[in-house]
């Protein structure tokens, strides 16, 4: 489980850098990306524990979890 979380968080850093730009200019997106990646990893571990130790699945979970966290943050800001 710890390997999955580490992979997801590191992938979140990369996704924020690729999608939104530098981390220091967008710390709110970094926080949302990390949170989304952690939630994605926890959901994966709860529903499919057999995939929790797979490095590739952890990376994919980090990518989509980070993207979902940033998209949700953008949607909430758009409603305000």
């Amino acid at each position: 489980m710890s390997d999955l979380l580490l992979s997801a968080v590191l992938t979140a850093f990369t996704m924020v850098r690729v999608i939104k730009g530098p981390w220091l200019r967008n710390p709110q997106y970094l926080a949302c990306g990390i949170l989304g990646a952690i939630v994605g990893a926890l959901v994966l571990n709860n529903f499919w524990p057999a995939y929790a130790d797979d490095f590739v699945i952890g990376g994919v979970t980090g990518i989509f979890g980070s993207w979902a966290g940033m998209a949700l943050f953008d949607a909430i800001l758009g409603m305000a």
Side-chain angles (χ1 to χ4, degrees):
M1 178 63 187
S2 63
D3 294 337
L4 179 67
L5 285 174
L6 179 64
S7 175
V9 168
L10 292 177
T11 305
F13 272 92
T14 305
M15 286 299 295
V16 171
R17 177 73 174 137
V18 168
I19 293 174
K20 296 295 180 181
W23 300 312
L24 293 177
R25 290 189 198 160
N26 302 307
Q28 68 276 16
Y29 287 110
L30 184 60
C32 292
I34 290 172
L35 186 63
I38 290 172
V39 168
L42 291 175
V43 167
L44 177 70
N45 190 41
N46 284 336
F47 289 112
W48 297 286
Y51 290 126
D53 293 331
D54 193 346
F55 186 73
V56 174
I57 299 296
V60 172
T61 301
I63 289 171
F64 287 114
S66 178
W67 174 80
M70 289 186 286
L72 181 64
F73 182 72
D74 281 339
I76 290 172
L77 283 181
M79 288 190 307

